[in-house]
Amino acid sequence: MRQVTTVLISMDSNSLLNGAEEYEELLKSLIDDHNMSDLIQVIETGTYGIYGKGIILQILPDNVYYVINSSNDLLKIFEEHLLKGREVIDLSVDLNKLKFSKAYKKKETRIVLRNIGLIDPSNIEEYIARDGYAALAKALEMKPNEVIQAVKDSGLRGRGGAGFPTGLKWEMTRKSNSEKKYVLCNADEGEPGTFKDRLILEGDPHSILEAMAIAGYVIGSDTGYIYIRGEYYESIKRVQKAIEDAEKFGLLGDNVLGSDFSFKISVRPGAGAYVVGDETALMESLEGKPGRPRMKPPYPTEYGLFGKPTLINNVETLANIPWIILNGAKSFKNYGTEKSPGTKVFSLVGNVMNRGVVELEMGTTLREILYGFGGGVAKGRSLKMIQTGGTAGTFVKPDKLDIPMSYESIKDGVSLGSGAVLVIDDTNCAVDLAKKVAKFYMHESCGKCTPCREGTRMIYKILDDISKGKGKIEQLDQIQKMSERIADTAFCPLGQSINLPLSSIYENFKDEFMAHIAAKECPVGVCEFEKPHIKKVKIKR
Amino acid sequence: MKFTMDKIKQLKVRVEEIKTRKTENGDDLLMALHAAQEIFDNSIPIEAAEAISDALEVKMNRVYELSTFYSMYSTRPRGKHLIRVCESLPCHVVNGKEVIEALENTLDIEVGETTKDGLFTLETTSCLGLCGVGPVMMIDDKAYGNLTSDRVKEIINGYRGEKQ
Ligand SMILES: Cc1cc2nc3c(=O)[nH]c(=O)nc-3n(C[C@H](O)[C@H](O)[C@H](O)COP(=O)(O)O)c2cc1C
Ligand code: SF4
Ligand code: FES
């Protein structure tokens, strides 16, 4: 008898929007037409972490990967491979090659993304089969303080941007005296260029639920919330389903795993406001108010959601927890740098050949990320700059490529932030980018304090003028001064962070700013000047 | 007007269901507003705001504050389909600007406007977390990636065809 063949089809958001669902239907109907549904099963899986290439199929037990871009490709694979058992050489790919263009020394280290692409995220049994909820069972046998010690010993720091030591935060929330406490997962991922949290929410939702339950046990809370960005429709659906499944299995709800610990988790959607990613603004929003940041102190560990002590962690931070509990703090510290143990999930975006998400040890250099995993700059162009860490991150020139990425790298002028690595090629204009950054701040300012509300608008106006050839030399100084002043006086980290991206792009590309002002010319030909006699040059890419 | 009354009824049913998921006061408000937007073609008319204010026992000005603070909500009528095109840097550097222009040309409106036939509203948004396949837009809850000017035309025409 023939063994059952399994076709795994990647169903993350990126594949969905490349038509993965239609391909799956086509494949299923082909199988039905040939009366082969007993022999071939089609299973949806998470992402393989590679985007922009088409849909990835994996055929088991042959372990062959295919990239398909049309129904013809799929037909061919069906007729040749599935019917006749012959590999379709021109469509099959070596997954490692696809991801890592060269044989690089450094390999991907999967702690956070340990299950992504390997399990069907909508099937709780597959998660359990890979030691899922074993960390929760183990934690329930431990004393809360032992769990805290393990998290502290691991040296794990928050992956949401601020890098606060996670174990310490857990300890502080545990020590806060209150009948009611909350565990809150920050899944309001809005940092431009970052989509790692979405990947985890959609590709391994149970890892987050498990970590939240562990946190609940440790700090003494029976209620958890996951606040998910409103635009992440698919993530919301999948997490909701995961919660229902976990409740059915007795892994959430009353008397978790038969213990006297009970824990409930609810999902709440956001409604579109970047500032709500800030922890206190998020709490306001969850309480049904406009998402404006609160004054700190008091800190959320004492006075958080609904005025109760609250532990808030980012999705990626939480995804580390079950691994640490199962494998121990010591194993965790085998990865990364001394001050930043573990891994970081980087999102590689922009003008890079292979866009996607990759999990690497802390301390990996930008060069390794860009050339080792990204395959270099797209379309054979040359590298102009990289922005790391998201919109609030620094712009760096290629001379910073060898700086190891970690929480420490900001000392060398490179932000780690959310792990976004935005590759920018030589067809882009520094002034145009700076203007976009300013526009982002202007738009996302919540309006609570004047320096940020008015200042960001004024800076945008000046940059807009410069980009149209209407700028004056002294305005460059003005922008500098204003962004420094906003950094000093703004109420929350959003406003405070505007100085970093703007000053770094200006410092690195002074000449280009000057050209727009003095020569009334955009050296790259991106900005459209309002002067009639200057020819519009559009660069074709 | 009867049309709206039906929709209000629909909203009230949804809000009652949402209330059952409430764990603390106020944590159901945003969900109720999302429901209103779904029922009333992407905006929150005054009747809907009143219904929510009654059902959840919150003041009208709070409902209004929320509907204006968050960018996913609108108190102004929007088109049947809401197009949100990403304008953040990762999409911008891979030809995002041309995609926005193509949308404006194809729809014959500018960002922020609604087509005369009431079919589309075009808005820009910051990163949608789909930068792996940028440039990106969402039409209602469906996302489209790797956009080009031609793809944009095709997609819009697809929606237009649906109407007839
Ligand atoms: C403007 C702003 C936006 C933020 N956006 C996010 C976000 O999208 N996701 C996130 O986890 N943290 C975000 N943060 C950081 C949170 O305030 C908070 O530090 C984090 O959720 C704590 O979790 P962690 O310790 O696990 O990192 C943001 C902060 C600010 C000021
Ligand atoms: S700095 Fe900006 S975002 Fe922060 S509170 Fe002030 S206005 Fe709001
Ligand atoms: S920047 Fe456009 S989706 Fe992220």
Side-chain angles (χ1 to χ4, degrees):
Chain A
M1 242 215 62
R2 226 185 118 175
Q3 206 178 346
V4 176
T5 304
T6 305
V7 182
L8 293 171
I9 181 162
S10 160
M11 276 293 169
D12 56 280
S13 291
N14 290 279
S15 307
L16 281 173
L17 62 96
N18 275 327
E21 268 175 333
E22 285 82 8
Y23 291 133
E24 185 189 1
E25 250 166 56
L26 176 63
L27 183 59
K28 282 186 173 158
S29 64
L30 285 170
I31 294 169
D32 278 348
D33 288 352
H34 288 76
N35 258 331
M36 293 179 72
S37 36
D38 294 341
L39 294 173
I40 306 174
Q41 54 171 343
V42 182
I43 292 178
E44 295 180 6
T45 182
T47 183
Y48 290 96
I50 307 157
Y51 302 123
K53 293 270 177 188
I55 311 295
I56 298 180
L57 293 186
Q58 183 184 7
I59 300 189
L60 292 170
D62 310 0
N63 206 22
V64 175
Y65 292 92
Y66 288 111
V67 173
I68 51 169
N69 279 300
S70 68
S71 4
N72 267 340
D73 292 352
L74 187 64
L75 266 173
K76 216 158 149 192
I77 292 166
F78 180 74
E79 282 172 2
E80 287 293 310
H81 194 137
L82 294 174
L83 290 185
K84 301 182 189 149
R86 288 195 294 238
E87 185 176 334
V88 186
I89 303 291
D90 50 335
L91 294 175
S92 73
V93 287
D94 178 341
L95 194 68
N96 285 321
K97 279 232 183 80
L98 195 65
K99 232 184 218 176
F100 322 136
S101 62
K102 278 184 218 134
Y104 245 72
K105 274 184 237 106
K106 211 142 195 162
K107 278 232 191 73
E108 203 177 358
T109 305
R110 290 199 155 202
I111 293 178
V112 171
L113 307 180
R114 58 195 176 277
N115 292 323
I116 305 276
L118 297 175
I119 61 167
D120 170 1
S122 63
N123 186 340
I124 185 170
E125 292 181 31
E126 291 196 18
Y127 178 71
I128 293 171
R130 286 182 54 83
D131 286 339
Y133 291 102
L136 175 60
K138 185 173 172 187
L140 290 176
E141 306 264 291
M142 295 161 74
K143 294 207 176 68
N145 282 329
E146 291 168 356
V147 179
I148 288 177
Q149 200 54 46
V151 179
K152 273 175 118 175
D153 289 345
S154 75
L156 176 67
R157 294 169 63 178
R159 303 290 194 245
F164 192 83
T166 307
L168 187 60
K169 201 190 264 187
W170 284 35
E171 184 173 53
M172 286 158 70
T173 324
R174 174 170 171 78
K175 283 188 177 153
S176 290
N177 231 336
S178 170
E179 283 281 297
K180 186 86 195 172
K181 292 179 189 175
Y182 294 100
V183 176
L184 183 49
C185 171
N186 188 341
D188 191 43
E189 185 170 62
E191 194 57 60
T194 314
F195 48 106
K196 54 168 183 99
D197 293 347
R198 166 182 227 141
L199 193 73
I200 301 166
L201 293 165
E202 293 178 14
D204 196 14
H206 286 287
S207 66
I208 304 303
L209 306 182
E210 180 176 11
M212 288 177 71
I214 295 172
Y217 168 70
V218 167
I219 67 159
S221 155
D222 63 357
T223 311
Y225 280 108
I226 306 186
Y227 186 101
I228 306 180
R229 239 192 114 164
E231 292 93 341
Y232 279 17
Y233 298 96
E234 192 62 30
S235 311
I236 294 171
K237 259 192 259 162
R238 291 201 186 182
V239 172
Q240 190 66 53
K241 159 124 193 354
I243 293 173
E244 284 157 22
D245 290 346
E247 280 172 356
K248 275 188 213 131
F249 276 69
L251 298 161
L252 287 178
D254 292 335
N255 304 98
V256 171
L257 287 165
S259 69
D260 49 15
F261 166 65
S262 299
F263 195 69
K264 254 184 78 82
I265 300 180
S266 313
V267 177
R268 290 293 177 269
Y274 169 77
V275 68
V276 167
D278 171 80
E279 53 193 21
T280 56
L282 189 143
M283 290 169 191
E284 288 285 298
S285 177
L286 218 158
E287 292 175 11
K289 300 177 200 149
R292 295 199 181 91
R294 293 177 183 165
M295 182 76 102
K296 284 197 278 195
Y299 293 98
T301 50
E302 293 160 35
Y303 186 94
L305 192 57
F306 302 108
K308 303 284 186 265
T310 302
L311 174 71
I312 179 164
N313 274 131
N314 168 257
V315 172
E316 185 185 348
T317 314
L318 289 171
N320 278 293
I321 297 290
W323 194 98
I324 291 172
I325 302 296
L326 285 182
N327 298 283
K330 239 177 117 193
S331 320
F332 190 75
K333 288 196 102 160
N334 285 337
Y335 301 101
T337 68
E338 201 194 323
K339 285 194 182 130
S340 313
T343 60
K344 181 79 194 84
V345 183
F346 293 98
S347 322
L348 197 51
V349 297
N351 307 122
V352 56
M353 194 124 93
N354 305 320
R355 291 179 286 180
V357 163
V358 58
E359 180 175 1
L360 299 166
E361 282 188 53
M362 286 278 192
T364 305
T365 64
L366 281 174
R367 186 181 303 282
E368 284 168 315
I369 298 171
L370 169 58
Y371 294 101
F373 299 89
V377 182
K379 297 181 183 163
R381 308 278 341 173
S382 62
L383 178 65
K384 181 163 183 171
M385 58 181 131
I386 294 184
Q387 188 185 27
T388 61
T391 299
T394 46
F395 287 91
V396 297
K397 275 192 166 167
D399 62 351
K400 294 253 164 99
L401 281 180
D402 292 311
I403 290 179
M405 298 287 288
S406 68
Y407 293 107
E408 303 93 272
S409 51
I410 189 67
K411 284 200 308 275
D412 298 306
V414 184
S415 325
L416 179 68
S418 63
V421 174
L422 167 59
V423 179
I424 299 170
D425 72 17
D426 56 355
T427 61
N428 290 287
C429 161
V431 173
D432 179 59
L433 298 181
K435 180 172 122 178
K436 275 276 165 199
V437 169
K439 186 168 179 198
F440 176 83
Y441 277 95
M442 174 176 78
H443 184 254
E444 300 300 344
S445 167
C446 80
K448 179 169 179 148
C449 65
T450 321
C452 171
R453 185 184 61 235
E454 299 303 322
T456 53
R457 203 159 46 107
M458 281 148 73
I459 291 177
Y460 173 74
K461 177 77 177 61
I462 297 177
L463 285 167
D464 188 46
D465 279 350
I466 295 178
S467 79
K468 289 178 176 147
K470 295 191 292 187
K472 298 190 193 76
I473 290 278
E474 60 273 19
Q475 285 181 321
L476 286 175
D477 254 1
Q478 234 176 320
I479 299 181
Q480 288 274 79
K481 281 215 188 88
M482 268 199 282
S483 58
E484 276 165 29
R485 205 156 294 159
I486 299 174
D488 287 343
T489 54
F491 182 79
C492 89
L494 189 149
Q496 289 158 13
S497 68
I498 191 173
N499 191 27
L500 206 56
L502 283 186
S503 62
S504 61
I505 198 166
Y506 174 65
E507 289 300 327
N508 280 318
F509 298 96
K510 251 184 202 156
D511 298 355
E512 242 172 77
F513 282 81
M514 287 307 292
H516 283 75
I517 295 172
K520 306 244 176 282
E521 182 185 59
C522 175
V524 192
V526 169
C527 299
E528 294 174 15
F529 287 70
E530 283 184 350
K531 287 222 160 173
H533 65 271
I534 289 183
K535 215 168 68 196
K536 279 189 197 171
V537 194
K538 274 236 168 134
I539 296 282
K540 271 239 162 21
R541 269 184 273 162
Chain B
M1 217 39 222
K2 182 171 171 296
F3 192 41
T4 318
M5 284 313 292
D6 280 352
K7 286 188 169 184
I8 290 287
K9 260 194 208 137
Q10 225 179 311
L11 176 63
K12 282 186 175 154
V13 175
R14 281 285 296 280
V15 172
E16 284 311 311
E17 186 271 325
I18 287 168
K19 264 166 89 172
T20 63
R21 286 189 270 156
K22 169 169 98 173
T23 38
E24 292 285 345
N25 267 338
D27 76 349
D28 47 359
L29 248 166
L30 295 189
M31 291 194 287
L33 290 169
H34 277 303
Q37 289 238 129
E38 265 169 47
I39 296 169
F40 290 90
D41 287 346
N42 302 309
S43 73
I44 302 167
I46 187 141
E47 296 90 342
E50 273 165 356
I52 289 175
S53 157
D54 283 349
L56 300 184
E57 292 169 38
V58 291
K59 291 209 177 86
M60 264 302 266
N61 60 5
R62 171 131 169 234
V63 177
Y64 249 73
E65 202 183 5
L66 294 174
S67 355
T68 49
F69 180 83
Y70 292 99
S71 64
M72 284 179 82
Y73 304 141
S74 172
T75 49
R76 263 193 312 164
R78 279 165 163 165
K80 185 166 185 298
H81 299 293
L82 176 59
I83 304 176
R84 283 177 290 212
V85 56
C86 171
E87 63 166 344
S88 285
L89 284 187
C91 281
H92 181 72
V93 302
V94 292
N95 274 356
K97 195 172 156 198
E98 267 156 48
V99 166
I100 297 178
E101 280 165 11
L103 275 167
E104 289 181 326
N105 291 335
T106 310
L107 298 167
D108 198 20
I109 52 173
E110 284 182 15
V111 169
E113 295 178 347
T114 302
T115 52
K116 279 205 195 79
D117 57 7
L119 210 47
F120 301 101
T121 295
L122 176 62
E123 290 179 4
T124 52
T125 168
S126 52
C127 179
L128 292 163
L130 295 164
C131 345
V133 288
V136 171
M137 68 173 170
M138 290 189 85
I139 302 188
D140 306 325
D141 59 0
K142 200 161 160 36
Y144 298 88
N146 287 325
L147 295 175
T148 57
S149 309
D150 289 341
R151 267 283 278 157
V152 163
K153 267 178 227 144
E154 248 175 64
I155 295 167
I156 298 295
N157 284 336
Y159 277 84
R160 281 181 176 142
E162 225 168 61
K163 191 189 144 209
Q164 278 129 35

